[in-house]
Amino acid sequence: MTAAPAGPRAVPLDKRPVTALKGVGTALAEKLLKLGVESVQDLLFLLPARYEDRTKVVPIGALRSGDRAVVEGEVELAEVVFRRRRQLLVRIRDGTGFLTLRFFYFTSAQQAQLVRGVRLRLYGEARRGTLGLEIAHPEYRRADAFDAQRVEDSLTPVYPTTEGVQQGRLRILTAQALEAIDYGALADYLPAGLLAELGLPTLVEALTYVHRPPPGADVELLASGRHPAQRRLAFEELLAHQLSLRLLRQEIRRDPAYPIAPPGRLLARLRSGLPFALTGAQERVLDEISADLASSSPMLRLVQGDVGSGKTVVAAAAACKAIEAGFQVALMAPTELLAEQHWQNFDRWFRPLEQPVALLTGKLASKARRSAQEALASGDVSIAVGTHALFQEGVNFRRLALLIVDEQHRFGVDQRMALRNKGKHAGRYPHQLVMTATPIPRTLAMTAYADLDVSVIDELPPGRTPVRTVALTETRRQEVVQRIDTAIRDGRQAYWVCPLIEESEELDYQAAEATHAALKAALPGVRVGLLHGRLKGPEKERTMAAFKRHDLDLLVATTVIEVGVDVPNATLMVIENAERMGLAQLHQLRGRVGRGAAESTCVLLYKAGMSALARERLNVMRETNDGFRIARRDLELRGPGELLGTRQTGLLTMRVAELGRDADLLPRVQSAAEVLLAEHPATIGALLRRWIGGRERYGKV
Ligand code: ADP
Ligand code: MG
C-alpha cells in the first residue's frame, strides 16, 4: 500500500472498501466478504445478533442463574478434582457471596495462575450447579487494584460470526467504521420530516446506538427488536424491499401485452352451463381481471380467496375471454393431483363449448405428451392445464396470452419471472393471474406482493354449512372410528389424514399404509382407499377418481390432499397428529370438507403433552372457519416467514425487519416508497444496494 486512503469527505462509506480500515488485508477482506461485507458501509449494516452487558461489575450476591455478567472477586480455593472427568474448580468470593468457576480444559499455566488470593475480573453465564452458582469456562483476567473501576462503556455487541473473524475483531472494525462516519459520508435516505413524524432517530444515531448501546440501555427492548433505533433501520430495510418489488412491477408494466376485450359470448355460454350463479365477490374480482386483460400492459394480479371460495371458476371465466379473443391459456398447478382435478373441471366446463383442454404433467406417456404439445404448438387447442411440465422444453404455445397459476404460495418471485419470460411471444408478454388460498392481511399482502395487484374473494358461495371442529386426544381413536362408520352408513364419505413424518418419505408412507390396514380391519364392509406421494401418477388418479365417483367411502391419505381436492359428498375429516401441523395447513386440510350443503365435521386428533403453541393452534381451529382470521392468528403466532412459504419473497431474508413485528410500519413504508419513486428516484439505487445488494433485486435500477 502506497497511497493513503482518500479523505472521508472524498469517498462515501459505500464506496470505501473495508481494506481502507486499519488491519484489514486481503485475507480478512475475503472472510468478510462471506458475511456480505465489502464496503465500510456494509460493515455498519452488519448488525449485532445480541448484546452482553459488561458495563458494570455485578456483586455475586445479586447474581441469578441464567445471568450473563461481569463479576470480580478473590480466589479462595482452587483444586483439581475427578468427577467423572478431571476438572479444575476455583472458588471466588467478593464479600457478597461466592461463586465456583469450573474448567474442564485447562493448562498448567492457568493452574499456576489461579491460586488463593488472586483477584479476577471475569465474564460468563451463571448457572445453578451442585456447588451453588457456577460459571463454566468464563472469560477472565487478573484484576489489578487500580483498574478495578474500568468496565466497558457501552453494551458489548455480539455479531453474527463467520469462520476466521473473531468477535473481538468485528468490534474493532465496527468501532473504526463508526468513527469514519461524518457529514456526507453516509447518506440518510429518509426525509427528516418523516422521521420526526414517526418519532424515529436519524440513520447515524440509529447505527451508533445498535452497535454501541450506552450503559443502562434496555437490553430486553433491544432483544425484542423494538427499540426505536432498530425500528428506524427496519423501516429503511422494508422500504428497500418495497422499492425493489415496485420497480419490478414498473418494469413489467412497461412490457407490451395483447389487450383482450372480446364481446363475451363464450363467457355467457360458460355461465349458462354452470349449475350456480357467481357470488358478488366472484363477479367483482372477475371485473377487476377483465379490466386488466383489456390493457396492453400485462396483468399481474393475485386473487386471494379462502378455501372453497370458488377461485377455479373465476379462472375459467378469465380463460373464456382470452379464448374468445383468439388466444391460448395455460393453467398451472403445484401438484399432479391438483392439475388433474383442474383438468377435470375445465374439461367439464369447456367441452360443451367445443373447447378441448390439454393436460400436461410430468407423468404423461410420451405419446400423449407429444400430441398435447402438437395441439398447443399448432393452436388447435386453446387451453392447457398442467404442472411445471407446461413450461418444459419442447412445449410451445402458438399464441399464449393468459397464464394462470394456482396455489401461488408455492411459487416465488423468481419463478413468476421465469414463467413470464417463457410465455413471451412475438415481443408480447402474457397476462398473469395467480390464485392463493393462503390469505394474508391486506397491508402484509401489499408488502409481500408489492409487484402484484391484489383482489380478494371475500365471500363463500351460499348454502355452505360451517365445518364443526373438535379436538380429541388420540386415546379416543375408537370413538372416531365409530363416527366414520356412522357417516358412511349415512351415505357420506370421509378422509383420514395421516401424520407427516418429517424428513422421511419412507416412514411417511409406512405410517399411511399401517393406518390404511388398521382402518380396513376395524371397518369391515367399508371401501377404504389409500393415497400418498409414493403412488405412481395413474394409480393416484385412479384412487382419486374412485373416491370422487363414490366407489370408495374412506380415503386414507398423507397431506398430499392438502390443496384443492374437491369432493362435496365428503363430510368428515380426521387429522392425526394435528398438534404437529401449522395453522395454514390445518385450514387447507379442513377445507376438503364442508363443500356441500350437509354439515361437516373435522376431528383433530392430538397426542397428550403438546406445547402451548400447538394447543393455541387447535383452539384457533375450533373457534373459526375464516381463513383470513386464521391467517392473522398464524401471523401473530409464528411470524410471516412460514405463512408466506420459504421461497415467497426476498422479504424472508431481512436483517432487521420482521414483517409480523413491524407490521405497523408498513402503511408508512408504502407511502414513503411512493414519495421516493416520485420525488427522489436517483437515491433508490443506492438504497437498494445498501440493503439488498446484488442478491434479490428483481427490478432494474
Ligand atoms: P377454491 O377457491 O378453494 O379453489 P373451488 O374453486 O374448488 O374453491 O370451489 C369450491 C367448490 O365451490 C366447487 O365445487 C365449485 O364448483 C363450487 N362453487 C364455486 N363457485 C360457486 C358459486 N358461486 N356457487 C356455488 N358453488 C360454487
Ligand atoms: Mg382451488
Side-chain angles (χ1 to χ4, degrees), residues 233-246:
L233 297 172
F235 189 95
E236 194 179 310
E237 182 171 35
L238 288 167
L239 180 62
H241 280 271
Q242 177 78 8
L243 284 166
S244 119
L245 287 170
R246 294 283 279 264

Side-chain angles (χ1 to χ4, degrees), residues 276-279 282 306-313 461 464 566 595:
F276 50 75
L278 297 188
T279 61
Q282 284 171 317
D306 206 347
V307 268
S309 62
K311 292 181 288 292
T312 320
V313 72
R464 299 266 170 88
D566 185 29
R595 309 199 133 228

